[in-house]
Amino acid sequence: ETEQTKESVERIPALLDEGLSDEQLEARLRSLSTETFRELVATLWETEGWMTSVFQDSDETVYDIVALREESDQRQLIWTRHHESNGISKIAIKRWATIRESSGDTADGVLVTTESLTTAVERVADNRNLTVVGLSTLVDRIRAVELTDALDDERDESPQA
């Protein structure tokens, strides 16, 4: 475990503990505030070797997180969507893909969400080269880097959808 990983894990409010089922972990992820969810995603990317910058007021910015690989020119623009009252639309996917495309060839677009996507929205994301990390994939990635062992059992109050 690197020093950066330890700092990253300590930076976010804790939410997980060992021994949770996938369903319990999914419920905990859904219970997070939007800001905490965004921080969790940044922390996950950092444990996977990325350097991240988080934009707190993403309504004013075009993406939530920028992730960079130090040893390469690889860059990801990451959107986090959590507690969306109307779900995620094809229009939103197209807008994010356009932002990614206008950022140059080196930027990959990633949507990390706890929301369910319709087949039509998933198809648009795939056609526009926007990678979708859904809830079950997010759980798998969290387990793969053992964030469940590193974080305490403290949850934010979640807004009711």
Side-chain angles (χ1 to χ4, degrees):
E1 186 172 18
T2 67
E3 191 62 34
Q4 180 183 7
T5 300
K6 288 178 186 174
E7 290 174 11
S8 299
V9 170
E10 290 170 0
R11 194 177 75 216
I12 67 169
L15 75 146
L16 308 171
D17 60 22
E18 193 173 356
L20 293 176
S21 69
D22 285 354
E23 293 77 21
Q24 290 169 317
L25 183 51
E26 288 175 4
R28 291 251 178 118
L29 290 168
R30 283 189 192 103
S31 75
L32 298 176
S33 70
T34 300
E35 183 177 316
T36 302
F37 181 72
R38 188 178 305 126
E39 289 291 333
L40 173 72
V41 171
T43 298
L44 177 59
W45 259 244
E46 288 173 8
T47 62
E48 295 174 339
W50 295 86
M51 294 183 307
T52 64
S53 295
V54 178
F55 299 91
Q56 295 302 323
D57 191 5
S58 62
D59 291 337
E60 300 291 323
T61 60
V62 293
Y63 34 77
D64 299 314
I65 303 166
V66 174
L68 304 167
R69 288 265 193 210
E70 192 171 339
E71 67 278 355
S72 72
D73 290 336
Q74 195 174 8
R75 181 169 63 116
Q76 290 186 341
L77 306 178
I78 303 170
W79 291 267
T80 58
R81 289 302 176 260
H82 187 60
H83 302 303
E84 296 291 312
S85 57
N86 295 322
I88 297 171
S89 69
K90 292 188 288 186
I91 293 170
I93 296 289
K94 289 176 183 177
R95 183 177 68 242
W96 298 329
T98 300
I99 291 167
R100 183 200 57 80
E101 291 161 4
S102 68
S103 296
D105 293 335
T106 61
D108 296 324
V110 180
L111 168 63
V112 183
T113 185
T114 57
E115 304 297 322
S116 297
L117 301 181
T118 66
T119 303
V121 168
E122 288 177 351
R123 191 171 31 254
V124 170
D126 188 51
N127 290 341
R128 298 295 298 267
N129 295 318
L130 188 69
T131 301
V132 176
V133 177
L135 191 53
S136 63
T137 303
L138 185 60
V139 165
D140 292 342
R141 287 175 76 167
I142 288 169
R143 291 199 188 285
V145 298
E146 298 181 346
L147 278 182
T148 53
D149 295 335
L151 302 174
D152 297 329
D153 182 18
E154 180 181 318
R155 289 175 266 162
D156 289 327
E157 294 297 318
S158 67
Q160 298 299 316

